[in-house]
mmCIF file of all heavy atoms in Angstrom:
data_model
loop_
_atom_site.group_PDB
_atom_site.id
_atom_site.type_symbol
_atom_site.label_atom_id
_atom_site.label_comp_id
_atom_site.label_asym_id
_atom_site.label_seq_id
_atom_site.Cartn_x
_atom_site.Cartn_y
_atom_site.Cartn_z
ATOM 1 N N SER A 1338 -85.861 -163.054 -39.589
ATOM 2 C CA SER A 1338 -86.259 -163.615 -40.940
ATOM 3 C C SER A 1338 -84.984 -164.125 -41.563
ATOM 4 O O SER A 1338 -85.153 -165.123 -42.444
ATOM 5 C CB SER A 1338 -86.910 -162.624 -41.826
ATOM 6 O OG SER A 1338 -88.018 -162.111 -41.165
ATOM 7 N N ASP A 1339 -83.743 -163.655 -41.378
ATOM 8 C CA ASP A 1339 -82.665 -164.119 -42.108
ATOM 9 C C ASP A 1339 -81.969 -165.262 -41.476
ATOM 10 O O ASP A 1339 -81.576 -166.190 -42.126
ATOM 11 C CB ASP A 1339 -81.689 -162.937 -42.245
ATOM 12 C CG ASP A 1339 -81.105 -162.447 -40.887
ATOM 13 O OD1 ASP A 1339 -81.806 -162.755 -39.895
ATOM 14 O OD2 ASP A 1339 -80.013 -161.872 -40.848
ATOM 15 N N SER A 1340 -81.994 -165.414 -40.139
ATOM 16 C CA SER A 1340 -81.224 -166.496 -39.555
ATOM 17 C C SER A 1340 -82.091 -167.497 -38.728
ATOM 18 O O SER A 1340 -81.663 -168.591 -38.424
ATOM 19 C CB SER A 1340 -80.204 -165.893 -38.482
ATOM 20 O OG SER A 1340 -80.915 -165.278 -37.460
ATOM 21 N N GLY A 1341 -83.393 -167.071 -38.433
ATOM 22 C CA GLY A 1341 -84.234 -167.960 -37.664
ATOM 23 C C GLY A 1341 -83.932 -167.881 -36.176
ATOM 24 O O GLY A 1341 -84.661 -168.492 -35.375
ATOM 25 N N ALA A 1342 -83.020 -167.022 -35.811
ATOM 26 C CA ALA A 1342 -82.768 -166.760 -34.350
ATOM 27 C C ALA A 1342 -84.163 -166.382 -33.667
ATOM 28 O O ALA A 1342 -84.893 -165.621 -34.222
ATOM 29 C CB ALA A 1342 -81.725 -165.764 -34.114
ATOM 30 N N THR A 1343 -84.345 -166.895 -32.491
ATOM 31 C CA THR A 1343 -85.659 -166.729 -31.851
ATOM 32 C C THR A 1343 -85.472 -166.226 -30.385
ATOM 33 O O THR A 1343 -84.606 -166.729 -29.612
ATOM 34 C CB THR A 1343 -86.403 -168.027 -31.805
ATOM 35 O OG1 THR A 1343 -86.604 -168.500 -33.153
ATOM 36 C CG2 THR A 1343 -87.848 -167.881 -31.153
ATOM 37 N N VAL A 1344 -86.477 -165.330 -29.919
ATOM 38 C CA VAL A 1344 -86.558 -164.992 -28.576
ATOM 39 C C VAL A 1344 -87.992 -165.009 -28.197
ATOM 40 O O VAL A 1344 -88.827 -164.541 -28.793
ATOM 41 C CB VAL A 1344 -86.090 -163.497 -28.415
ATOM 42 C CG1 VAL A 1344 -86.352 -163.050 -26.960
ATOM 43 C CG2 VAL A 1344 -84.577 -163.356 -28.597
ATOM 44 N N HIS A 1345 -88.249 -165.728 -27.148
ATOM 45 C CA HIS A 1345 -89.599 -165.842 -26.497
ATOM 46 C C HIS A 1345 -89.741 -164.791 -25.393
ATOM 47 O O HIS A 1345 -88.674 -164.633 -24.672
ATOM 48 C CB HIS A 1345 -89.874 -167.199 -25.926
ATOM 49 C CG HIS A 1345 -89.837 -168.256 -26.929
ATOM 50 N ND1 HIS A 1345 -90.958 -168.648 -27.785
ATOM 51 C CD2 HIS A 1345 -88.882 -169.067 -27.505
ATOM 52 C CE1 HIS A 1345 -90.637 -169.677 -28.670
ATOM 53 N NE2 HIS A 1345 -89.360 -169.992 -28.400
ATOM 54 N N ALA A 1346 -90.804 -164.132 -25.238
ATOM 55 C CA ALA A 1346 -90.919 -163.046 -24.294
ATOM 56 C C ALA A 1346 -92.285 -162.964 -23.688
ATOM 57 O O ALA A 1346 -93.369 -163.276 -24.327
ATOM 58 C CB ALA A 1346 -90.521 -161.775 -24.987
ATOM 59 N N ALA A 1347 -92.266 -162.534 -22.348
ATOM 60 C CA ALA A 1347 -93.537 -162.243 -21.710
ATOM 61 C C ALA A 1347 -93.333 -161.393 -20.601
ATOM 62 O O ALA A 1347 -92.176 -161.274 -20.062
ATOM 63 C CB ALA A 1347 -94.209 -163.533 -21.254
ATOM 64 N N ALA A 1348 -94.369 -160.719 -20.138
ATOM 65 C CA ALA A 1348 -94.270 -159.791 -18.995
ATOM 66 C C ALA A 1348 -95.217 -160.226 -17.867
ATOM 67 O O ALA A 1348 -96.369 -160.633 -18.123
ATOM 68 C CB ALA A 1348 -94.691 -158.285 -19.350
ATOM 69 N N GLU A 1349 -94.750 -160.222 -16.639
ATOM 70 C CA GLU A 1349 -95.555 -160.572 -15.476
ATOM 71 C C GLU A 1349 -95.772 -159.318 -14.631
ATOM 72 O O GLU A 1349 -95.037 -159.052 -13.724
ATOM 73 C CB GLU A 1349 -94.986 -161.639 -14.776
ATOM 74 C CG GLU A 1349 -95.906 -162.231 -13.669
ATOM 75 C CD GLU A 1349 -95.327 -163.622 -13.163
ATOM 76 O OE1 GLU A 1349 -94.327 -164.117 -13.645
ATOM 77 O OE2 GLU A 1349 -95.867 -164.088 -12.063
ATOM 78 N N LEU A 1350 -96.747 -158.465 -15.070
ATOM 79 C CA LEU A 1350 -97.013 -157.168 -14.470
ATOM 80 C C LEU A 1350 -97.502 -157.230 -13.059
ATOM 81 O O LEU A 1350 -97.468 -156.263 -12.277
ATOM 82 C CB LEU A 1350 -97.894 -156.318 -15.374
ATOM 83 C CG LEU A 1350 -97.275 -155.983 -16.641
ATOM 84 C CD1 LEU A 1350 -98.308 -155.239 -17.574
ATOM 85 C CD2 LEU A 1350 -96.156 -155.024 -16.497
ATOM 86 N N SER A 1351 -97.979 -158.452 -12.683
ATOM 87 C CA SER A 1351 -98.491 -158.602 -11.245
ATOM 88 C C SER A 1351 -97.337 -158.481 -10.284
ATOM 89 O O SER A 1351 -97.589 -158.230 -9.061
ATOM 90 C CB SER A 1351 -99.168 -159.978 -11.028
ATOM 91 O OG SER A 1351 -98.197 -161.023 -11.355
ATOM 92 N N LYS A 1352 -96.142 -158.592 -10.752
ATOM 93 C CA LYS A 1352 -94.985 -158.435 -9.836
ATOM 94 C C LYS A 1352 -94.772 -156.891 -9.447
ATOM 95 O O LYS A 1352 -94.035 -156.644 -8.557
ATOM 96 C CB LYS A 1352 -93.767 -158.960 -10.507
ATOM 97 C CG LYS A 1352 -93.780 -160.415 -10.829
ATOM 98 C CD LYS A 1352 -93.624 -161.285 -9.558
ATOM 99 C CE LYS A 1352 -93.573 -162.779 -9.847
ATOM 100 N NZ LYS A 1352 -93.452 -163.613 -8.667
ATOM 101 N N VAL A 1353 -95.442 -156.061 -10.188
ATOM 102 C CA VAL A 1353 -95.338 -154.634 -9.911
ATOM 103 C C VAL A 1353 -96.716 -154.107 -9.566
ATOM 104 O O VAL A 1353 -97.496 -153.700 -10.405
ATOM 105 C CB VAL A 1353 -94.772 -153.846 -11.161
ATOM 106 C CG1 VAL A 1353 -94.572 -152.309 -10.763
ATOM 107 C CG2 VAL A 1353 -93.516 -154.471 -11.646
ATOM 108 N N GLN A 1354 -97.015 -154.227 -8.317
ATOM 109 C CA GLN A 1354 -98.372 -153.956 -7.794
ATOM 110 C C GLN A 1354 -98.702 -152.524 -7.860
ATOM 111 O O GLN A 1354 -97.894 -151.620 -7.615
ATOM 112 C CB GLN A 1354 -98.593 -154.535 -6.427
ATOM 113 C CG GLN A 1354 -98.648 -156.076 -6.367
ATOM 114 C CD GLN A 1354 -99.924 -156.608 -6.985
ATOM 115 O OE1 GLN A 1354 -101.068 -156.046 -6.704
ATOM 116 N NE2 GLN A 1354 -99.802 -157.553 -7.767
ATOM 117 N N PRO A 1355 -99.955 -152.166 -8.127
ATOM 118 C CA PRO A 1355 -100.428 -150.798 -7.931
ATOM 119 C C PRO A 1355 -100.462 -150.335 -6.576
ATOM 120 O O PRO A 1355 -100.495 -151.103 -5.582
ATOM 121 C CB PRO A 1355 -101.830 -150.733 -8.682
ATOM 122 C CG PRO A 1355 -102.323 -152.159 -8.378
ATOM 123 C CD PRO A 1355 -101.102 -153.011 -8.571
ATOM 124 N N HIS A 1356 -100.383 -149.014 -6.362
ATOM 125 C CA HIS A 1356 -100.551 -148.384 -5.037
ATOM 126 C C HIS A 1356 -101.903 -148.823 -4.390
ATOM 127 O O HIS A 1356 -102.896 -148.835 -5.098
ATOM 128 C CB HIS A 1356 -100.360 -146.869 -5.143
ATOM 129 C CG HIS A 1356 -100.264 -146.116 -3.843
ATOM 130 N ND1 HIS A 1356 -101.316 -145.896 -3.002
ATOM 131 C CD2 HIS A 1356 -99.150 -145.691 -3.227
ATOM 132 C CE1 HIS A 1356 -100.855 -145.200 -1.916
ATOM 133 N NE2 HIS A 1356 -99.506 -145.088 -2.004
ATOM 134 N N PRO A 1357 -101.880 -148.993 -3.165
ATOM 135 C CA PRO A 1357 -103.178 -149.397 -2.520
ATOM 136 C C PRO A 1357 -104.333 -148.475 -2.672
ATOM 137 O O PRO A 1357 -105.486 -148.854 -2.602
ATOM 138 C CB PRO A 1357 -102.820 -149.438 -0.959
ATOM 139 C CG PRO A 1357 -101.272 -149.703 -0.951
ATOM 140 C CD PRO A 1357 -100.766 -149.075 -2.133
ATOM 141 N N GLU A 1358 -104.034 -147.151 -2.857
ATOM 142 C CA GLU A 1358 -105.119 -146.152 -3.155
ATOM 143 C C GLU A 1358 -105.732 -146.228 -4.578
ATOM 144 O O GLU A 1358 -106.774 -145.646 -4.769
ATOM 145 C CB GLU A 1358 -104.591 -144.757 -2.862
ATOM 146 C CG GLU A 1358 -104.016 -144.451 -1.514
ATOM 147 C CD GLU A 1358 -103.532 -143.081 -1.409
ATOM 148 O OE1 GLU A 1358 -103.958 -142.203 -2.147
ATOM 149 O OE2 GLU A 1358 -102.648 -142.779 -0.628
ATOM 150 N N MET A 1359 -105.035 -146.941 -5.504
ATOM 151 C CA MET A 1359 -105.365 -146.864 -6.856
ATOM 152 C C MET A 1359 -106.892 -147.284 -7.195
ATOM 153 O O MET A 1359 -107.576 -146.653 -7.867
ATOM 154 C CB MET A 1359 -104.457 -147.668 -7.651
ATOM 155 C CG MET A 1359 -103.155 -147.045 -7.968
ATOM 156 S SD MET A 1359 -103.294 -145.965 -9.377
ATOM 157 C CE MET A 1359 -103.521 -147.158 -10.651
ATOM 158 N N ALA A 1360 -107.238 -148.334 -6.606
ATOM 159 C CA ALA A 1360 -108.552 -148.989 -6.963
ATOM 160 C C ALA A 1360 -109.679 -148.006 -6.594
ATOM 161 O O ALA A 1360 -110.586 -147.760 -7.372
ATOM 162 C CB ALA A 1360 -108.730 -150.278 -6.314
ATOM 163 N N GLU A 1361 -109.691 -147.441 -5.362
ATOM 164 C CA GLU A 1361 -110.683 -146.516 -5.002
ATOM 165 C C GLU A 1361 -110.702 -145.253 -5.802
ATOM 166 O O GLU A 1361 -111.814 -144.782 -6.123
ATOM 167 C CB GLU A 1361 -110.593 -146.287 -3.477
ATOM 168 C CG GLU A 1361 -111.575 -145.299 -2.872
ATOM 169 C CD GLU A 1361 -113.018 -145.665 -3.038
ATOM 170 O OE1 GLU A 1361 -113.343 -146.867 -3.293
ATOM 171 O OE2 GLU A 1361 -113.945 -144.766 -3.027
ATOM 172 N N LEU A 1362 -109.513 -144.737 -6.021
ATOM 173 C CA LEU A 1362 -109.415 -143.558 -6.792
ATOM 174 C C LEU A 1362 -109.879 -143.742 -8.185
ATOM 175 O O LEU A 1362 -110.646 -142.807 -8.734
ATOM 176 C CB LEU A 1362 -107.955 -143.030 -6.752
ATOM 177 C CG LEU A 1362 -107.425 -142.374 -5.515
ATOM 178 C CD1 LEU A 1362 -105.836 -142.176 -5.592
ATOM 179 C CD2 LEU A 1362 -108.096 -141.108 -5.227
ATOM 180 N N MET A 1363 -109.616 -144.876 -8.679
ATOM 181 C CA MET A 1363 -110.091 -145.066 -10.088
ATOM 182 C C MET A 1363 -111.622 -145.213 -10.181
ATOM 183 O O MET A 1363 -112.273 -144.665 -11.029
ATOM 184 C CB MET A 1363 -109.441 -146.399 -10.686
ATOM 185 C CG MET A 1363 -110.050 -146.803 -12.018
ATOM 186 S SD MET A 1363 -109.316 -148.255 -12.688
ATOM 187 C CE MET A 1363 -108.021 -147.513 -13.809
ATOM 188 N N ARG A 1364 -112.077 -145.902 -9.120
ATOM 189 C CA ARG A 1364 -113.578 -145.991 -9.109
ATOM 190 C C ARG A 1364 -114.332 -144.652 -8.969
ATOM 191 O O ARG A 1364 -115.210 -144.408 -9.706
ATOM 192 C CB ARG A 1364 -113.995 -146.881 -7.839
ATOM 193 C CG ARG A 1364 -115.522 -147.146 -7.756
ATOM 194 C CD ARG A 1364 -115.895 -147.733 -6.377
ATOM 195 N NE ARG A 1364 -115.603 -146.769 -5.272
ATOM 196 C CZ ARG A 1364 -116.507 -145.750 -4.972
ATOM 197 N NH1 ARG A 1364 -117.563 -145.569 -5.687
ATOM 198 N NH2 ARG A 1364 -116.222 -144.994 -3.989
ATOM 199 N N ARG A 1365 -113.731 -143.795 -8.132
ATOM 200 C CA ARG A 1365 -114.335 -142.440 -8.064
ATOM 201 C C ARG A 1365 -114.106 -141.654 -9.362
ATOM 202 O O ARG A 1365 -115.046 -140.900 -9.724
ATOM 203 C CB ARG A 1365 -113.600 -141.704 -6.848
ATOM 204 C CG ARG A 1365 -114.239 -142.289 -5.498
ATOM 205 C CD ARG A 1365 -113.315 -142.103 -4.328
ATOM 206 N NE ARG A 1365 -112.937 -140.681 -4.095
ATOM 207 C CZ ARG A 1365 -112.055 -140.348 -3.172
ATOM 208 N NH1 ARG A 1365 -111.446 -141.331 -2.462
ATOM 209 N NH2 ARG A 1365 -111.701 -139.135 -2.989
ATOM 210 N N CYS A 1366 -113.013 -141.792 -9.965
ATOM 211 C CA CYS A 1366 -112.836 -141.055 -11.214
ATOM 212 C C CYS A 1366 -113.736 -141.554 -12.322
ATOM 213 O O CYS A 1366 -114.307 -140.697 -12.997
ATOM 214 C CB CYS A 1366 -111.379 -141.153 -11.677
ATOM 215 S SG CYS A 1366 -110.156 -140.315 -10.649
ATOM 216 N N MET A 1367 -113.954 -142.809 -12.410
ATOM 217 C CA MET A 1367 -114.767 -143.350 -13.456
ATOM 218 C C MET A 1367 -116.305 -142.971 -13.223
ATOM 219 O O MET A 1367 -117.023 -142.937 -14.159
ATOM 220 C CB MET A 1367 -114.596 -144.931 -13.479
ATOM 221 C CG MET A 1367 -113.313 -145.358 -13.926
ATOM 222 S SD MET A 1367 -112.815 -144.817 -15.627
ATOM 223 C CE MET A 1367 -113.938 -145.715 -16.568
ATOM 224 N N ARG A 1368 -116.587 -142.764 -11.901
ATOM 225 C CA ARG A 1368 -117.984 -142.265 -11.644
ATOM 226 C C ARG A 1368 -118.182 -140.863 -11.607
ATOM 227 O O ARG A 1368 -119.222 -140.304 -11.177
ATOM 228 C CB ARG A 1368 -118.456 -143.005 -10.310
ATOM 229 C CG ARG A 1368 -118.460 -144.478 -10.317
ATOM 230 C CD ARG A 1368 -119.048 -144.991 -9.042
ATOM 231 N NE ARG A 1368 -119.206 -146.460 -9.073
ATOM 232 C CZ ARG A 1368 -119.612 -147.233 -8.033
ATOM 233 N NH1 ARG A 1368 -119.932 -146.576 -6.884
ATOM 234 N NH2 ARG A 1368 -119.654 -148.521 -8.120
ATOM 235 N N ASP A 1369 -117.163 -140.065 -11.949
ATOM 236 C CA ASP A 1369 -117.126 -138.645 -11.941
ATOM 237 C C ASP A 1369 -117.391 -138.111 -10.564
ATOM 238 O O ASP A 1369 -118.043 -137.123 -10.320
ATOM 239 C CB ASP A 1369 -118.195 -138.050 -12.960
ATOM 240 C CG ASP A 1369 -117.854 -138.313 -14.324
ATOM 241 O OD1 ASP A 1369 -116.610 -138.344 -14.632
ATOM 242 O OD2 ASP A 1369 -118.759 -138.562 -15.183
ATOM 243 N N GLU A 1370 -116.973 -138.922 -9.576
ATOM 244 C CA GLU A 1370 -117.071 -138.429 -8.116
ATOM 245 C C GLU A 1370 -115.829 -137.878 -7.484
ATOM 246 O O GLU A 1370 -115.780 -137.536 -6.412
ATOM 247 C CB GLU A 1370 -117.635 -139.728 -7.302
ATOM 248 C CG GLU A 1370 -118.961 -140.221 -7.772
ATOM 249 C CD GLU A 1370 -119.132 -141.543 -7.066
ATOM 250 O OE1 GLU A 1370 -118.307 -142.046 -6.362
ATOM 251 O OE2 GLU A 1370 -120.348 -142.091 -7.157
ATOM 252 N N ALA A 1371 -114.707 -137.897 -8.316
ATOM 253 C CA ALA A 1371 -113.394 -137.493 -7.774
ATOM 254 C C ALA A 1371 -113.287 -135.976 -7.799
ATOM 255 O O ALA A 1371 -113.586 -135.393 -8.908
ATOM 256 C CB ALA A 1371 -112.321 -138.177 -8.480
ATOM 257 N N ALA A 1372 -112.812 -135.327 -6.760
ATOM 258 C CA ALA A 1372 -112.441 -133.982 -6.734
ATOM 259 C C ALA A 1372 -111.171 -133.831 -7.555
ATOM 260 O O ALA A 1372 -110.449 -134.796 -7.682
ATOM 261 C CB ALA A 1372 -112.280 -133.484 -5.322
ATOM 262 N N PRO A 1373 -110.853 -132.587 -8.042
ATOM 263 C CA PRO A 1373 -109.670 -132.458 -8.882
ATOM 264 C C PRO A 1373 -108.351 -132.954 -8.280
ATOM 265 O O PRO A 1373 -107.524 -133.641 -8.897
ATOM 266 C CB PRO A 1373 -109.616 -130.961 -9.134
ATOM 267 C CG PRO A 1373 -110.997 -130.524 -9.208
ATOM 268 C CD PRO A 1373 -111.751 -131.411 -8.147
ATOM 269 N N PRO A 1374 -108.210 -132.756 -6.931
ATOM 270 C CA PRO A 1374 -106.948 -133.248 -6.338
ATOM 271 C C PRO A 1374 -106.977 -134.754 -6.371
ATOM 272 O O PRO A 1374 -105.835 -135.390 -6.480
ATOM 273 C CB PRO A 1374 -106.949 -132.763 -4.794
ATOM 274 C CG PRO A 1374 -107.900 -131.571 -4.934
ATOM 275 C CD PRO A 1374 -108.898 -131.845 -5.999
ATOM 276 N N ASP A 1375 -108.081 -135.452 -6.211
ATOM 277 C CA ASP A 1375 -108.091 -136.915 -6.262
ATOM 278 C C ASP A 1375 -107.824 -137.460 -7.683
ATOM 279 O O ASP A 1375 -107.127 -138.433 -7.796
ATOM 280 C CB ASP A 1375 -109.510 -137.386 -5.811
ATOM 281 C CG ASP A 1375 -109.830 -137.159 -4.316
ATOM 282 O OD1 ASP A 1375 -108.793 -137.166 -3.602
ATOM 283 O OD2 ASP A 1375 -110.944 -137.117 -3.922
ATOM 284 N N ALA A 1376 -108.371 -136.738 -8.688
ATOM 285 C CA ALA A 1376 -108.054 -137.194 -10.107
ATOM 286 C C ALA A 1376 -106.544 -136.947 -10.326
ATOM 287 O O ALA A 1376 -105.909 -137.863 -11.046
ATOM 288 C CB ALA A 1376 -108.926 -136.335 -10.932
ATOM 289 N N GLN A 1377 -106.001 -135.937 -9.817
ATOM 290 C CA GLN A 1377 -104.520 -135.678 -10.065
ATOM 291 C C GLN A 1377 -103.757 -136.761 -9.276
ATOM 292 O O GLN A 1377 -102.736 -137.284 -9.854
ATOM 293 C CB GLN A 1377 -104.104 -134.306 -9.554
ATOM 294 C CG GLN A 1377 -102.758 -133.954 -9.814
ATOM 295 C CD GLN A 1377 -102.356 -132.635 -9.419
ATOM 296 O OE1 GLN A 1377 -102.990 -132.001 -8.522
ATOM 297 N NE2 GLN A 1377 -101.396 -132.019 -9.968
ATOM 298 N N ARG A 1378 -104.230 -137.123 -8.101
ATOM 299 C CA ARG A 1378 -103.544 -138.189 -7.392
ATOM 300 C C ARG A 1378 -103.640 -139.509 -8.059
ATOM 301 O O ARG A 1378 -102.591 -140.278 -8.186
ATOM 302 C CB ARG A 1378 -104.155 -138.265 -5.940
ATOM 303 C CG ARG A 1378 -103.676 -139.409 -5.047
ATOM 304 C CD ARG A 1378 -102.213 -139.310 -4.683
ATOM 305 N NE ARG A 1378 -101.894 -140.297 -3.715
ATOM 306 C CZ ARG A 1378 -100.566 -140.570 -3.375
ATOM 307 N NH1 ARG A 1378 -99.635 -139.910 -3.972
ATOM 308 N NH2 ARG A 1378 -100.359 -141.528 -2.427
ATOM 309 N N PHE A 1379 -104.786 -139.808 -8.650
ATOM 310 C CA PHE A 1379 -104.819 -141.033 -9.405
ATOM 311 C C PHE A 1379 -103.935 -141.158 -10.557
ATOM 312 O O PHE A 1379 -103.207 -141.991 -10.735
ATOM 313 C CB PHE A 1379 -106.343 -141.270 -9.942
ATOM 314 C CG PHE A 1379 -106.467 -142.255 -10.901
ATOM 315 C CD1 PHE A 1379 -106.429 -143.644 -10.665
ATOM 316 C CD2 PHE A 1379 -106.618 -141.976 -12.322
ATOM 317 C CE1 PHE A 1379 -106.495 -144.647 -11.534
ATOM 318 C CE2 PHE A 1379 -106.699 -142.859 -13.249
ATOM 319 C CZ PHE A 1379 -106.685 -144.275 -12.926
ATOM 320 N N ALA A 1380 -103.875 -140.038 -11.428
ATOM 321 C CA ALA A 1380 -102.968 -139.951 -12.587
ATOM 322 C C ALA A 1380 -101.525 -140.076 -12.093
ATOM 323 O O ALA A 1380 -100.764 -140.823 -12.758
ATOM 324 C CB ALA A 1380 -103.173 -138.616 -13.278
ATOM 325 N N GLN A 1381 -101.172 -139.516 -10.998
ATOM 326 C CA GLN A 1381 -99.744 -139.588 -10.514
ATOM 327 C C GLN A 1381 -99.419 -141.027 -10.121
ATOM 328 O O GLN A 1381 -98.339 -141.554 -10.403
ATOM 329 C CB GLN A 1381 -99.536 -138.664 -9.305
ATOM 330 C CG GLN A 1381 -99.627 -137.154 -9.743
ATOM 331 C CD GLN A 1381 -99.465 -136.213 -8.556
ATOM 332 O OE1 GLN A 1381 -99.827 -136.665 -7.413
ATOM 333 N NE2 GLN A 1381 -99.163 -134.944 -8.774
ATOM 334 N N LEU A 1382 -100.327 -141.656 -9.455
ATOM 335 C CA LEU A 1382 -100.039 -143.009 -8.979
ATOM 336 C C LEU A 1382 -100.061 -143.979 -10.125
ATOM 337 O O LEU A 1382 -99.313 -144.867 -10.151
ATOM 338 C CB LEU A 1382 -101.120 -143.451 -7.970
ATOM 339 C CG LEU A 1382 -101.061 -142.718 -6.552
ATOM 340 C CD1 LEU A 1382 -102.212 -143.251 -5.690
ATOM 341 C CD2 LEU A 1382 -99.817 -142.996 -5.907
#
Side-chain angles (χ1 to χ4, degrees):
S1338 301
D1339 60 340
S1340 67
T1343 301
V1344 171
H1345 297 276
E1349 193 168 346
L1350 294 173
S1351 62
K1352 297 290 185 179
V1353 187
Q1354 287 292 315
H1356 189 281
E1358 296 178 27
M1359 280 275 293
E1361 175 60 20
L1362 285 171
M1363 175 178 264
R1364 184 190 67 79
R1365 285 154 59 186
C1366 288
M1367 294 300 292
R1368 294 183 179 182
D1369 293 325
E1370 298 172 352
D1375 290 335
Q1377 185 177 25
R1378 173 68 171 164
F1379 166 74
Q1381 290 172 341
L1382 291 178

